[in-house]
Amino acid sequence: MNAIPLPGDRYGKLTVQHQVGKGDNRGARYACVCACGCYPFYAKARELNSGRVTECKRCAKRRAD
């Protein structure tokens, strides 16, 4: 079973702020703030726990360029 992200937990550059809505069959979403200041960035618990999402889309695009 995957851990439930709590406010203040860090996943790469993202810091969890709070849960958005309730979890359903697609998984709960969490509002996160990126180290670059991008807020809010929404990610699912399974994406955070698996390491698939570790930064906002703006940082990912900047890193890819």
Side-chain angles (χ1 to χ4, degrees):
M1 182 174 191
N2 289 332
I4 298 171
L6 299 173
D9 286 354
R10 291 193 51 104
Y11 295 89
K13 292 182 177 182
L14 298 174
T15 303
V16 176
Q17 297 298 306
H18 56 84
Q19 184 175 348
V20 179
K22 58 183 178 180
D24 57 7
N25 61 345
R26 294 187 222 163
R29 290 184 348 156
Y30 293 85
C32 303
V33 61
C34 186
C36 73
C38 181
Y39 178 81
F41 179 78
Y42 299 104
K44 295 180 182 175
R46 67 175 174 241
E47 294 172 334
L48 294 169
N49 287 317
S50 70
R52 182 170 173 242
V53 174
T54 59
E55 59 191 359
C56 70
K57 291 179 183 178
R58 183 170 48 179
C59 285
K61 183 178 181 196
R62 195 175 309 143
R63 187 172 41 87
D65 289 342

